[in-house]
Amino acid sequence: MAAAVSMPSVSQPKSMKRPTHWSEEVEEAYRFQLAGYRDEIEYREVQRTDHIDRWPHNGFVKKLVRRDGCFYYYNKTRECPDKQINKTKLYAY
Amino acid sequence: MPGRSVDLRQTVPFTHLVDIFEKNNLAKPEPPLSGAFKVRDTPMTSFRKFYERGDFPIALEHDTKGNKIAWKVEIEKLDYHHYLPLFFDGLCETEHPYEFFARQGVHDMLEHGGSKILPVIPQLIIPIKNALNTRKHKVLCTTLKVLQHLVVSAEMVGEALVPYYRQILPVMNIFKNKNLNSGDGIDYSQQKRENVGDLIQETLEAFERYGGEDAFINIKYMVPTYESCMLN
């Protein structure tokens, strides 16, 4: 709880919705959530970094560090399967 | 009719009577099976040995989305000369978790290897050849998909594979026609990409596309029924 209190309010999302169709935004959220983060903002806070490896040709996330220090590598192309689309969460601030 | 002796002079060529004669002619032994399609067993792979010893920098996931490997070190820092042939060696495996780690490990290393892949190609040939030589359906499918990924993984890899067609292509020649004629019925292996005949055709086409100008004639030499996908 102490950690939650000390977190700045900016990082707390105001709302969440579940997508019905695939889009690049969904893909982005899917990749972060697979690695155990809410989204890019939380990733930046937890890892204390501004650098995120992305594929140069389409900007998809390439590599993420999990909370336990392991690395997740992502494909060049779409990874989010159809049945995971509505399980992905899109947060708004 | 079994048991009835057939006079060859009474038989009409190219009819079933000839077959009956052949069957009843006990003096002539049946030709032995060549066993070209027979599944071959593989001895324990060194991939399995290294995995059990804990040599790989990978962690097993126990969640429901089990389609990723958690790498303990960055792939960019891995020694490709050591690890890539080992992962390829694991392609022969059919059991979990070895099969999964080998397949996914190869996938990740190829996707993120870039220029580090090309120098390792000569070391990959023997594992690829061993995997294809098992003639197991599952192993064939995985290996063919890996080969398709390999030729597009980096520049010049397709060309670098041309000298090794002699090692890789004979098994493809054997299974090229392994397809199902279901008339107008649905063959679900096509959807699942488990149809060996189709996978081989795709792989050979990828070889030709990325193998440079010598690719076609070399493929044709090993797989005579292959027709070019680019010249026509």
Side-chain angles (χ1 to χ4, degrees):
Chain A
M1 287 310 284
V5 170
S6 68
M7 283 243 262
S9 60
V10 188
S11 65
Q12 288 303 318
K14 296 275 189 299
S15 68
M16 182 275 286
K17 66 173 182 183
R18 291 180 188 271
T20 51
H21 302 289
W22 183 86
S23 67
E24 288 189 4
E25 201 187 351
V26 176
E27 182 70 34
E28 171 97 358
Y30 172 76
R31 291 183 182 212
F32 277 104
Q33 281 158 32
L34 201 62
Y37 300 95
R38 198 190 298 134
D39 52 15
E40 187 177 341
I41 296 170
E42 194 189 31
Y43 182 77
R44 282 172 192 277
E45 262 173 26
V46 173
Q47 294 295 335
R48 292 199 176 80
T49 174
D50 269 349
H51 177 72
I52 292 172
D53 264 326
R54 288 178 184 279
W55 287 105
H57 62 291
N58 56 7
F60 284 171
V61 177
K62 184 176 176 182
K63 178 174 90 175
L64 291 180
V65 187
R66 295 194 319 179
R67 284 170 202 263
D68 60 2
C70 289
F71 297 90
Y72 262 175
Y73 284 83
Y74 298 92
N75 293 347
K76 291 187 182 90
T77 49
R78 173 179 167 177
E79 269 198 25
C80 179
D82 277 340
K83 61 180 176 185
Q84 293 291 337
I85 289 177
N86 72 337
K87 289 182 186 163
T88 309
K89 297 169 181 175
L90 297 178
Y91 292 95
Y93 290 87
Chain B
M1 219 180 281
R4 190 172 67 106
S5 60
V6 181
D7 185 358
L8 189 58
R9 279 170 299 183
Q10 289 172 0
T11 60
V12 186
F14 307 116
T15 63
H16 69 287
L17 287 177
V18 177
D19 291 341
I20 291 172
F21 175 78
E22 295 273 306
K23 251 183 230 162
N24 291 339
N25 188 358
L26 297 175
K28 187 180 141 212
E30 275 194 19
L33 294 176
S34 73
F37 303 102
K38 211 174 131 201
V39 169
R40 315 271 164 95
D41 277 334
T42 39
M44 199 173 91
T45 60
S46 47
F47 177 82
R48 183 181 287 218
K49 192 174 97 188
F50 278 66
Y51 177 77
E52 277 166 1
R53 214 163 65 181
D55 275 7
F56 291 117
I58 50 182
L60 178 58
E61 289 293 295
H62 289 288
D63 62 359
T64 48
K65 297 176 191 160
N67 58 352
K68 274 224 176 304
I69 290 183
W71 293 85
K72 289 179 188 161
V73 296
E74 292 167 80
I75 295 185
E76 295 86 356
K77 290 181 186 158
L78 283 182
D79 176 11
Y80 267 56
H81 279 283
H82 177 66
Y83 284 109
L84 198 54
L86 270 179
F87 275 103
F88 266 80
D89 190 54
L91 289 175
C92 297
E93 293 284 351
T94 49
E95 284 170 43
H96 188 75
Y98 315 108
E99 177 262 347
F100 166 72
F101 277 123
R103 177 164 46 81
Q104 197 61 34
V106 166
H107 175 87
D108 279 3
M109 288 186 82
L110 290 181
E111 186 93 350
H112 301 269
S115 59
K116 289 162 92 178
I117 297 169
L118 186 61
V120 197
I121 294 285
Q123 288 163 267
L124 304 180
I125 303 303
I126 288 177
I128 291 173
K129 192 176 117 186
N130 287 342
L132 290 172
N133 268 334
T134 61
R135 289 140 208 246
K136 288 177 193 160
H137 179 83
K138 211 170 152 187
V139 176
L140 277 180
C141 291
T142 318
T143 312
L144 290 167
K145 285 177 201 165
V146 163
L147 283 173
Q148 290 177 19
H149 192 178
L150 179 65
V151 288
V152 297
S153 60
E155 295 274 305
M156 296 299 291
V157 169
E159 284 92 334
L161 280 173
V162 176
Y164 302 106
Y165 282 173
R166 245 168 195 279
Q167 324 291 323
I168 305 172
L169 298 192
V171 178
M172 297 206 200
N173 188 29
I174 296 173
F175 286 98
K176 188 166 176 288
N177 289 327
K178 187 165 190 264
N179 217 325
L180 182 68
N181 184 356
S182 55
D184 58 357
I186 297 174
D187 174 13
Y188 285 100
S189 72
Q190 292 180 351
Q191 261 179 31
K192 292 185 280 186
R193 290 195 75 216
E194 284 169 3
N195 189 319
V196 173
D198 285 355
L199 280 172
I200 288 176
Q201 182 66 26
E202 281 171 27
T203 312
L204 293 176
E205 286 178 5
F207 277 178
E208 189 189 346
R209 270 179 218 287
Y210 294 95
E213 53 186 16
D214 297 335
F216 173 66
I217 196 161
N218 282 290
I219 295 173
K220 187 81 174 168
Y221 179 67
M222 294 310 295
V223 187
T225 53
Y226 178 71
E227 295 293 344
S228 174
C229 64
M230 294 168 80
L231 297 176
N232 302 319

mmCIF file of all heavy atoms in Angstrom, chain A residues 18 21 24 38 54 64 73-76 85:
data_model
loop_
_atom_site.group_PDB
_atom_site.id
_atom_site.type_symbol
_atom_site.label_atom_id
_atom_site.label_comp_id
_atom_site.label_asym_id
_atom_site.label_seq_id
_atom_site.Cartn_x
_atom_site.Cartn_y
_atom_site.Cartn_z
ATOM 1 N N ARG A 18 -12.142 -2.160 -22.987
ATOM 2 C CA ARG A 18 -11.658 -3.342 -23.704
ATOM 3 C C ARG A 18 -11.965 -3.208 -25.184
ATOM 4 O O ARG A 18 -13.094 -2.915 -25.557
ATOM 5 C CB ARG A 18 -12.322 -4.599 -23.151
ATOM 6 C CG ARG A 18 -11.857 -4.922 -21.753
ATOM 7 C CD ARG A 18 -12.523 -6.168 -21.250
ATOM 8 N NE ARG A 18 -12.218 -6.384 -19.845
ATOM 9 C CZ ARG A 18 -11.167 -7.060 -19.421
ATOM 10 N NH1 ARG A 18 -10.323 -7.559 -20.286
ATOM 11 N NH2 ARG A 18 -10.966 -7.211 -18.138
ATOM 12 N N HIS A 21 -11.718 -4.647 -31.685
ATOM 13 C CA HIS A 21 -11.000 -4.914 -32.929
ATOM 14 C C HIS A 21 -9.511 -4.693 -32.710
ATOM 15 O O HIS A 21 -9.114 -3.920 -31.847
ATOM 16 C CB HIS A 21 -11.468 -3.976 -34.042
ATOM 17 C CG HIS A 21 -12.925 -4.087 -34.305
ATOM 18 N ND1 HIS A 21 -13.481 -5.181 -34.897
ATOM 19 C CD2 HIS A 21 -13.943 -3.244 -34.016
ATOM 20 C CE1 HIS A 21 -14.782 -5.005 -34.983
ATOM 21 N NE2 HIS A 21 -15.092 -3.837 -34.449
ATOM 22 N N GLU A 24 -3.187 -0.946 -33.889
ATOM 23 C CA GLU A 24 -1.805 -0.847 -33.412
ATOM 24 C C GLU A 24 -1.762 -0.516 -31.929
ATOM 25 O O GLU A 24 -0.859 -0.934 -31.207
ATOM 26 C CB GLU A 24 -1.057 0.207 -34.229
ATOM 27 C CG GLU A 24 -0.779 -0.283 -35.631
ATOM 28 C CD GLU A 24 0.142 0.627 -36.411
ATOM 29 O OE1 GLU A 24 0.632 1.610 -35.839
ATOM 30 O OE2 GLU A 24 0.348 0.333 -37.600
ATOM 31 N N ARG A 38 1.085 -2.399 -17.136
ATOM 32 C CA ARG A 38 -0.192 -1.864 -17.594
ATOM 33 C C ARG A 38 -0.010 -1.277 -18.994
ATOM 34 O O ARG A 38 -0.743 -1.599 -19.913
ATOM 35 C CB ARG A 38 -0.646 -0.783 -16.615
ATOM 36 C CG ARG A 38 -2.088 -0.441 -16.689
ATOM 37 C CD ARG A 38 -2.369 0.784 -15.854
ATOM 38 N NE ARG A 38 -2.076 0.616 -14.445
ATOM 39 C CZ ARG A 38 -1.405 1.502 -13.711
ATOM 40 N NH1 ARG A 38 -0.942 2.605 -14.243
ATOM 41 N NH2 ARG A 38 -1.188 1.277 -12.437
ATOM 42 N N ARG A 54 12.160 -0.626 -30.135
ATOM 43 C CA ARG A 54 11.046 -0.807 -31.070
ATOM 44 C C ARG A 54 11.574 -1.223 -32.424
ATOM 45 O O ARG A 54 12.701 -0.920 -32.787
ATOM 46 C CB ARG A 54 10.251 0.492 -31.212
ATOM 47 C CG ARG A 54 9.435 0.823 -29.984
ATOM 48 C CD ARG A 54 8.715 2.140 -30.146
ATOM 49 N NE ARG A 54 8.002 2.502 -28.930
ATOM 50 C CZ ARG A 54 6.819 2.030 -28.595
ATOM 51 N NH1 ARG A 54 6.210 1.179 -29.383
ATOM 52 N NH2 ARG A 54 6.237 2.397 -27.481
ATOM 53 N N LEU A 64 11.215 -6.069 -24.091
ATOM 54 C CA LEU A 64 10.837 -5.499 -22.790
ATOM 55 C C LEU A 64 11.528 -6.275 -21.689
ATOM 56 O O LEU A 64 11.794 -7.471 -21.829
ATOM 57 C CB LEU A 64 9.316 -5.590 -22.582
ATOM 58 C CG LEU A 64 8.445 -4.698 -23.460
ATOM 59 C CD1 LEU A 64 6.990 -4.922 -23.132
ATOM 60 C CD2 LEU A 64 8.793 -3.232 -23.273
ATOM 61 N N TYR A 73 11.093 -10.948 -25.952
ATOM 62 C CA TYR A 73 11.331 -10.467 -27.307
ATOM 63 C C TYR A 73 10.073 -10.640 -28.144
ATOM 64 O O TYR A 73 9.402 -11.660 -28.061
ATOM 65 C CB TYR A 73 12.488 -11.227 -27.948
ATOM 66 C CG TYR A 73 13.812 -10.772 -27.426
ATOM 67 C CD1 TYR A 73 14.315 -11.264 -26.233
ATOM 68 C CD2 TYR A 73 14.546 -9.819 -28.103
ATOM 69 C CE1 TYR A 73 15.517 -10.826 -25.730
ATOM 70 C CE2 TYR A 73 15.757 -9.384 -27.610
ATOM 71 C CZ TYR A 73 16.232 -9.888 -26.422
ATOM 72 O OH TYR A 73 17.426 -9.450 -25.934
ATOM 73 N N TYR A 74 9.769 -9.640 -28.953
ATOM 74 C CA TYR A 74 8.539 -9.673 -29.738
ATOM 75 C C TYR A 74 8.835 -9.692 -31.227
ATOM 76 O O TYR A 74 9.880 -9.225 -31.681
ATOM 77 C CB TYR A 74 7.660 -8.466 -29.401
ATOM 78 C CG TYR A 74 7.220 -8.458 -27.967
ATOM 79 C CD1 TYR A 74 7.958 -7.792 -26.995
ATOM 80 C CD2 TYR A 74 6.076 -9.142 -27.585
ATOM 81 C CE1 TYR A 74 7.562 -7.805 -25.679
ATOM 82 C CE2 TYR A 74 5.666 -9.155 -26.268
ATOM 83 C CZ TYR A 74 6.420 -8.484 -25.314
ATOM 84 O OH TYR A 74 6.029 -8.504 -24.005
ATOM 85 N N ASN A 75 7.857 -10.202 -31.977
ATOM 86 C CA ASN A 75 8.038 -10.363 -33.430
ATOM 87 C C ASN A 75 7.942 -9.033 -34.161
ATOM 88 O O ASN A 75 7.455 -8.052 -33.637
ATOM 89 C CB ASN A 75 6.961 -11.287 -33.982
ATOM 90 C CG ASN A 75 7.120 -12.688 -33.469
ATOM 91 O OD1 ASN A 75 8.146 -13.030 -32.894
ATOM 92 N ND2 ASN A 75 6.094 -13.488 -33.648
ATOM 93 N N LYS A 76 8.354 -9.095 -35.437
ATOM 94 C CA LYS A 76 8.238 -7.924 -36.298
ATOM 95 C C LYS A 76 6.785 -7.601 -36.596
ATOM 96 O O LYS A 76 6.413 -6.465 -36.792
ATOM 97 C CB LYS A 76 8.928 -8.188 -37.644
ATOM 98 C CG LYS A 76 10.430 -8.286 -37.602
ATOM 99 C CD LYS A 76 10.959 -8.375 -39.030
ATOM 100 C CE LYS A 76 12.468 -8.529 -39.061
ATOM 101 N NZ LYS A 76 12.889 -9.924 -39.044
ATOM 102 N N ILE A 85 -7.802 -10.260 -28.015
ATOM 103 C CA ILE A 85 -8.069 -8.831 -28.220
ATOM 104 C C ILE A 85 -8.925 -8.252 -27.100
ATOM 105 O O ILE A 85 -8.596 -7.238 -26.495
ATOM 106 C CB ILE A 85 -8.748 -8.611 -29.590
ATOM 107 C CG1 ILE A 85 -7.731 -8.849 -30.704
ATOM 108 C CG2 ILE A 85 -9.302 -7.188 -29.689
ATOM 109 C CD1 ILE A 85 -8.300 -8.733 -32.077
#
